[in-house]
Amino acid sequence: MTLRSALTAAALAAGLATAAHAQQPPLKIGLMLPATGTYAALGDAIEKGFRLYVDEQGGKLGGRSLQYFKVDDESDPSKATDNVNKLIKRDQVDVIVGTVHSGVALAMARAAKQSGTLLIVPNAGADAITGAGCAPNIFRSSFSNWQPGYSTGVVAAQKGYKRAMTITWNYAAGTETVKGFAEAFEKGGGKVVKDLLLPFPNVEFQALLTEIAAQKPDVVFAFFAGGGAVKFVKDYAAAGLRKTVPLMGSGFLTDGTLQAQGEAAQGLITTLHYGDDLNTPRNNAFRNHYAVAYKANPDVYAVQGYDAAQMLGAGLAAVKGDMNRRDALYAAIAKARIDSPRGAFTLSPQHNPTQDFYLREVKGEYNVVTGVAVKALPDPGRGCTM
Ligand code: BEZ
């Protein structure tokens, strides 16, 4: 073969490869989020955040355009396996992004592990997802339940409180967050004297508030989110407890809820991995873009959706959109440094964000950052044998 014909053949081959790359079909994204129920607004914010990042990239990740398939999971664990299989088996998606509720997410993680489908969890904190149930194809852009519980426990102990009561819904998010709180609070010299539970998504708080008033602990720690958090904070104030027993919580108690909570939430102190007024160019740009796109202010859920898209984008860029290169795809996500509006973070070996937990105080309609409760807090990833 002459040099000229060899070059022509090479150019042809390169051209064919480029054409093949250009012709890759859209990447199928399965969004499994709540569109109804107490967590509906959280699901909506996650989807908006995810789509915002994709739009900022010109509608493509790793050179691939995206096609969305959606399922409303209703935050109902009993329907979770059927729902996730609609995406995996019926729609044959390449990636699943979901969900909000820990119980639903645990079923999704089992299905993802069995089928080998890439799963990115943009909220649900169930510890097992990046603990005993961890897997090479499962990643989280949010937090483990242990993390915000632990960071709030650190702060409650530092404030000198000695006797705490906890109150939450009786499912993984509630019980695991409370466990994280107790771990740090008791390490810091406090004692949890009573845990109060009610079934998810029940909001009949009255009897439990009466018990708090009778016991008069130094502090109450609460995990509630979405519509339930709105009702709890209002009921706590209406019962007159704000004047007698300080209320603390993981930041979900006041995130995305402040318009509805109004006066009842003013001054509440929480910890979380995001705060509305983080004054960084990254957060300011994110908040501006979100406000322009959706005529609304973002919250922590929008940030987590945005960062789920960033994580997927980092993986796809490394393999030029080729989902068949699974090992390289997962390795790239695992070692990515995500330039998040919350502040840059990396993933633990079990694929959970190692991140700062901010101390926040409610002022008007904002969770204002007043300090850092715990810097670069890793999840312990207990039980993960990946
Ligand atoms: C959860 O179920 O893991 C969860 C739901 C809402 C906010 C935070 C955590």
Side-chain angles (χ1 to χ4, degrees):
M1 192 187 282
T2 63
L3 179 61
R4 188 168 167 181
S5 58
L7 285 175
T8 311
L12 254 174
L16 284 174
T18 311
H21 183 245
Q23 280 164 14
Q24 286 191 97
L27 193 76
K28 291 177 161 191
I29 309 282
L31 291 179
M32 183 156 152
L33 294 165
T36 49
T38 198
Y39 288 161
L42 287 59
D44 181 55
I46 288 168
E47 180 172 347
K48 285 181 167 143
F50 189 94
R51 288 180 185 264
L52 182 67
Y53 181 74
V54 174
D55 287 349
E56 286 174 2
Q57 308 310 305
K60 291 188 175 181
L61 297 181
R64 306 267 306 259
S65 58
L66 308 186
Q67 184 182 8
Y68 292 97
F69 296 80
K70 290 173 53 165
V71 168
D72 173 10
D73 67 43
E74 303 170 48
S75 295
D76 185 345
S78 73
K79 297 180 184 163
T81 303
D82 283 348
N83 277 332
V84 74
N85 279 329
K86 287 180 195 157
L87 296 172
I88 295 173
K89 296 189 176 153
R90 182 192 67 191
D91 302 330
Q92 307 209 323
V93 298
D94 298 298
V95 185
I96 304 169
V97 177
T99 188
V100 170
H101 184 286
S102 275
V104 177
L106 285 167
M108 294 174 72
R110 279 191 292 275
K113 213 168 169 175
Q114 271 165 19
S115 63
T117 313
L118 171 59
L119 169 66
I120 303 179
V121 178
N123 183 69
D127 290 341
I129 288 173
T130 52
C134 70
N137 59 319
I138 298 177
F139 296 85
R140 184 148 53 193
S141 66
S142 50
F143 59 93
S144 71
N145 288 326
W146 177 89
Q147 284 178 308
Y150 186 90
S151 61
T152 314
V154 168
V155 174
Q158 281 167 354
K159 284 182 176 290
Y161 298 134
K162 293 294 174 214
R163 292 172 63 252
M165 282 176 82
T166 71
I167 179 165
T168 189
W169 281 312
N170 191 7
Y171 82 104
T175 54
E176 291 174 354
T177 307
V178 159
K179 224 169 147 189
F181 173 82
E183 186 178 325
F185 186 60
E186 298 196 345
K187 214 192 280 176
K191 176 100 193 100
V192 173
V193 294
K194 184 134 198 198
D195 294 319
L196 303 174
L197 293 170
L198 70 168
F200 175 86
N202 190 320
V203 289
E204 296 311 315
F205 300 117
Q206 213 46 55
L208 301 179
L209 294 176
T210 305
E211 195 170 342
I212 291 170
Q215 297 254 356
K216 295 195 189 63
D218 297 337
V219 65
V220 164
F221 172 79
F223 167 85
F224 294 105
V230 171
K231 172 94 168 28
F232 178 75
V233 165
K234 287 181 137 181
D235 285 6
Y236 198 90
L241 282 166
R242 282 296 302 278
K243 293 184 206 86
T244 52
V245 184
L247 173 62
M248 293 184 77
S250 58
F252 307 109
L253 199 59
T254 58
D255 228 85
T257 53
L258 290 174
Q259 234 174 21
Q261 287 166 332
E263 195 50 39
Q266 296 309 305
L268 280 181
I269 289 174
T270 63
T271 75
L272 203 63
H273 48 290
Y274 184 62
D276 297 314
D277 67 330
L278 283 171
N279 190 12
T280 60
R282 188 72 180 97
N283 189 43
N284 292 338
F286 164 74
R287 294 189 73 88
N288 282 338
H289 291 177
Y290 193 95
V292 168
Y294 303 118
K295 315 279 172 278
N297 285 323
D299 54 22
V300 70
Y301 309 104
V303 172
Q304 294 168 169
Y306 186 84
D307 292 341
Q310 290 212 67
M311 286 164 60
L312 180 59
L316 287 170
V319 297
K320 300 196 167 44
D322 183 356
M323 286 289 297
N324 293 320
R325 294 177 56 199
R326 298 215 158 248
D327 290 350
L329 174 73
Y330 299 157
I333 301 176
K335 73 169 177 21
R337 181 179 181 275
I338 302 299
D339 188 14
S340 171
R342 76 187 83 170
F345 69 83
T346 53
L347 296 177
S348 66
Q350 303 83 10
H351 299 170
N352 188 74
T354 295
Q355 55 196 337
D356 294 347
F357 277 79
Y358 301 104
L359 185 60
R360 305 130 36 102
E361 182 175 342
V362 175
K363 291 190 180 149
E365 289 187 8
Y366 294 97
N367 286 289
V368 173
V369 173
T370 57
V372 177
V374 185
K375 188 126 193 81
L377 181 65
D379 178 75
R382 291 170 183 142
C384 176
T385 55
M386 192 162 42

